[in-house]
Amino acid sequence: CSKPYTDKEEVVLWMNTVGPYHNRQETYKYFSLPFCAGSKKTISHYHETLGEALQGVELEFSGLDIKFKEEVMQTTYCEIDLDKAKRDAFVYAIKNHYWYQMYIDDLPIWGIVGEADENGEDHYLWTYKKLEIGFNGNRIVDVNLTSEGKVRLVPNTRISMSYSVKWKKSDVKFEDRFDKYLDPSFFQHRIHWFSIFNSFMMVIFLVGLVSMILMRTLRKDYARYSKEEEMDDMDRDLGDEYGWKQVHGDVFRPSSHPLIFSSLIGSGCQIFSVSLIVIIVAMVEDLYTERGSMLSTAIFVYAATSPVNGYFGGSLYAKQGGRRWIKQMFIGAFLIPAMVCGTAFFINFIAIYYHASRAIPFGTMVAVCCICFFVILPLNLVGTILGRNLSGQPNFPCRVNAVPRPIPEKKWFMEPAVIVCLGGILPFGSIFIEMYFIFTSFWAYKIYYVYGFMMLVLVILCIVTVCVTIVCTYFLLNAEDYRWQWTSFLSAASTAVYVYMYSFYYYFFKTKMYGLFQTSFYFGYMAVFSTALGIMCGAVGYMGTSAFVRKIYTNVKID
Ligand SMILES: *[C@@H]1O[C@H](CO)[C@@H](O)[C@H](O)[C@H]1NC(C)=O
């Protein structure tokens, strides 16, 4: 890893991966192409962290002799005996625009393998790596690679690979050395600011609208209900009692499938807290300067926030009168891990078939399983027990009737299915431009660093989601349909369906990915991302709505 150097100290050039330029996740070991390594063999294989192993980092020593502040003139470090098979491998790589990645002192360097001429008949390999390394004091702060020495690939020839190293004094501060990899003109584009501003206006408008509608209608409702209270029985029979008050005996009836419902809500709360904490950590610390640290942090935070899952899932399940709480805890704890691991497992098969470096090593799989069973599960148990004991009592403002009320016929647009479909549109509208930036940084290796934006968007998304689900629920209850729990969850979660549809658009119009591996990787992990987003939005929507429902039924007098 990165460290201060003394003069003439060895500087290691690590070769990482090679792969098609348009398929950024389809990577192979550098030496899976018939490149040759330098003669130096002092360093064994690099030991990866968990995050690196999961991201397919495959560092291997290049064998090049580089010493701090020691110039190297063009030197041949090895030769390739180009037989037919090796030539074909290179030609294939060049045709698919392969590029490779290396690291010096944690700074990434990219280079392309070769070039084809215009009519695509002759293929050339770049054989000369010209390294220019900038240093500031005893630190390496800047690395540039120039590829030169184009050699035509002719079978049964020898190709000599060479390198040179130049050292330059640089004024770049060590803390700022990653700045040149950031792309402010992309991330701080006017569109980005504009979209945030836009969503923000939408939030203000929406919150104003929702509070106005609710204040006025609810006040009218209360007035009507209290007038009805004063009427005698005769009048009341003739009077038109209707609206949400009618379902007071059913509104706190446990949802259907309470076990899976509370597991979803618990998981959603956990995802929300993970997102919040990871974004805050990323805002405070520049996680992008260390390979795989984002993923490692996310896994750590996920494991550490397991009590949140247990608390909310367990207490909701207890409130709904569930008895199989151990089963609920297992399902809640393993819902997300199983979904992620299942997808990873499936993609792993394809990666192994392709010999891609994304194939997850066996040891890493064991480590992940250990985290699930020995960290996530016990912490979940703690959360569940706390949740059941601290807030597991069903202290609802209204009693639940023994017999469920029949749900009256209503207009088609009041059907839960329609409400669910429409509910996701506004939340999706508030985030889809940010989605573009997140997708682009993930799928095209731009480094995402504007976590302040992301935080704002998360807050906006939550507010919009809560507002929308409250309105949806109000209409639903007013139509005397008391199945609000799943409806509020799903109407918020449907945001994810729109995000997944957007990811299709993004794939076909914004990327040039191809091939089975990259395609399944893209759609597999997009599905995971969308589902997680959906569960999060659903939980946030449900939480907001349940507070709202509690509030309106507390204020009305039920006879
Ligand atoms: C690398 O290239 C950039 C841009 O061309 C230049 O500003 C910088 O000085 C170079 N660094 C070194 C060490 O040569």
Side-chain angles (χ1 to χ4, degrees), residues 36 45 80 114 211 217 243 298 447:
C36 54
H45 191 265
I80 306 172
S211 41
T217 39
I447 296 177

Side-chain angles (χ1 to χ4, degrees), residues 274-398:
V274 171
S275 323
L276 204 66
I277 296 173
V278 169
I279 292 176
I280 290 174
V281 171
M283 278 164 81
V284 176
E285 262 177 73
D286 295 335
L287 287 183
Y288 54 81
T289 58
E290 251 178 80
R291 276 185 307 274
S293 60
M294 190 74 187
L295 195 57
S296 303
T297 311
I299 292 174
F300 175 78
V301 174
Y302 185 86
T305 51
S306 294
V308 175
N309 185 341
Y311 183 88
F312 286 103
S315 66
L316 182 63
Y317 190 60
K319 270 185 206 158
Q320 302 210 342
R323 297 187 183 285
R324 291 173 297 165
W325 67 273
I326 296 185
K327 192 173 174 194
Q328 187 278 324
M329 183 191 73
F330 270 96
I331 290 182
F334 291 139
L335 195 66
I336 302 292
M339 180 181 78
V340 176
C341 292
T343 311
F345 196 68
F346 169 69
I347 288 164
N348 214 22
F349 267 121
I350 305 174
I352 291 170
Y353 174 72
Y354 270 68
H355 302 290
S357 69
R358 287 268 166 186
I360 298 166
F362 182 70
T364 312
M365 281 194 206
V366 173
V368 170
C369 289
C370 286
I371 293 177
C372 284
F373 281 102
F374 299 118
V375 182
I376 293 182
L377 195 60
L379 286 179
N380 228 296
L381 178 66
V382 172
T384 307
I385 291 172
L386 281 180
R388 288 181 66 82
N389 290 318
L390 295 183
S391 66
Q393 283 72 41
N395 49 348
F396 300 126
C398 320

